[in-house]
Amino acid sequence: AQKITQTQPGMFVQEKEAVTLDCTYDTSDQSYGLFWYKQPSSGEMIFLIYQGSYDEQNATEGRYSLNFQKARKSANLVISASQLGDSAMYFCAMREGRFAGYNKLIFGAGTRLAVHP
Amino acid sequence: DVKVTQSSRYLVKRTGEKVFLECVQDMDHENMFWYRQDPGLGLRLIYFSYDVKMKEKGDIPEGYSVSREKKERFSLILESASTNQTSMYLCASSQGGQFSYEQYFGPGTRLTVT
């Protein structure tokens, strides 16, 4: 069965430093997609970054980058130059191959990031 | 600006009541989803719909039903609310097709069943 694992329930980082949030996945599909979402305390889910399984380059979006290691089945999120506003819950998700056209996602349990001044 | 709206941010209901949670999207998306979010469990899919009147069970459909009579609207129904359905409920929508598209989320409804 497809699964997403986020092993860090909570992380903290000093402002302006970089932080890596871990995500490993399990799938037998060749074609899949990996997403990261941010959920601030207000509750809305904000899409951050996407990596396709056939993408050769690691995805980047501003201060966010995705460290994609296909052989290890990991898709870690790297946030550079952390800001206080980065304090939030972060979820890793994977598009299920069987329902590719439906864009059905499986989510991990999440990592709560606290950025300290 | 894309938008998914949910009918209530907070809702308090009594055990046994029938509860309706409404979700509307203005992006003409084919796919719509209902999740519940509980601490330590992430988001779990209750039901999704890939077209009007079409629906598929997710991972935890028991105790829930859904309705999609119009493309923009997806309703979650708790036929007889129970205390273990106290949770945050999130609605989302996405484009359909062969490529991966992100899901857009509503602000969530925090439901308390007493």
Side-chain angles (χ1 to χ4, degrees):
Chain A
Q2 297 182 316
K3 190 179 178 183
I4 291 280
T5 302
Q6 293 180 256
T7 57
Q8 306 153 314
M11 290 277 288
F12 71 88
V13 64
Q14 290 295 127
E15 195 178 7
K16 297 179 185 161
E17 295 191 349
V19 62
T20 297
L21 305 184
D22 294 341
C23 173
T24 58
Y25 59 91
D26 188 17
T27 181
S28 56
D29 293 331
Q30 296 302 308
S31 175
Y32 51 90
L34 295 154
F35 299 79
W36 277 92
Y37 282 85
K38 171 185 178 181
Q39 186 181 43
S41 56
S42 53
E44 78 273 24
M45 295 279 284
I46 302 166
F47 165 71
L48 295 178
I49 196 166
Y50 166 78
Q51 179 85 40
S53 58
Y54 294 120
D55 294 341
E56 294 185 353
Q57 303 276 352
N58 284 345
T60 59
E61 288 287 347
R63 294 186 298 110
Y64 304 108
S65 61
L66 200 152
N67 184 1
F68 182 47
Q69 297 188 41
K70 197 170 181 176
R72 299 181 63 183
K73 293 190 174 178
S74 75
N76 298 339
L77 178 70
V78 180
I79 305 174
S80 63
S82 298
Q83 301 172 356
L84 296 178
D86 293 334
S87 294
M89 196 76 168
Y90 288 82
F91 291 97
C92 180
M94 178 171 63
R95 187 203 70 200
E96 275 204 55
R98 283 186 306 129
F99 294 100
Y102 305 149
N103 278 294
K104 183 169 175 271
L105 299 181
I106 304 166
F107 285 82
T111 295
R112 184 169 297 282
L113 176 67
V115 180
H116 296 172
Chain B
D1 196 20
V2 297
K3 204 155 189 179
V4 180
T5 56
Q6 295 183 229
S7 49
S8 306
R9 289 301 302 268
Y10 300 93
L11 210 51
V12 180
K13 295 291 181 180
R14 294 193 182 276
T15 302
E17 277 193 82
K18 191 168 186 176
V19 182
F20 293 87
L21 302 182
E22 303 284 336
C23 175
V24 178
Q25 52 97 0
D26 65 358
M27 296 163 281
D28 202 35
H29 283 168
E30 290 81 6
N31 304 322
M32 296 188 75
F33 308 84
W34 274 107
Y35 297 91
R36 66 175 282 175
Q37 181 181 4
D38 300 288
L41 298 177
L43 277 70
R44 293 180 293 166
L45 183 65
I46 303 171
Y47 268 96
F48 72 100
S49 168
Y50 52 90
D51 202 348
V52 176
K53 296 189 187 294
M54 306 305 289
K55 61 187 178 186
E56 289 281 344
K57 292 180 181 178
D59 300 315
I60 51 164
E62 297 78 19
Y64 303 95
S65 62
V66 291
S67 172
R68 193 169 180 198
E69 297 297 318
K70 293 185 177 181
K71 190 175 185 180
E72 67 270 19
R73 189 179 297 270
F74 192 35
S75 303
L76 179 69
I77 303 152
L78 287 65
E79 295 290 341
S80 177
S82 64
T83 54
N84 62 13
Q85 292 178 311
T86 291
S87 186
M88 169 72 97
Y89 289 87
L90 291 165
C91 174
S93 71
S94 78
Q95 285 181 259
Q98 62 177 317
F99 301 109
S100 281
Y101 296 101
E102 69 267 33
Q103 292 185 9
Y104 293 87
F105 284 82
T109 296
R110 188 165 293 281
L111 173 68
T112 302
V113 182
T114 60

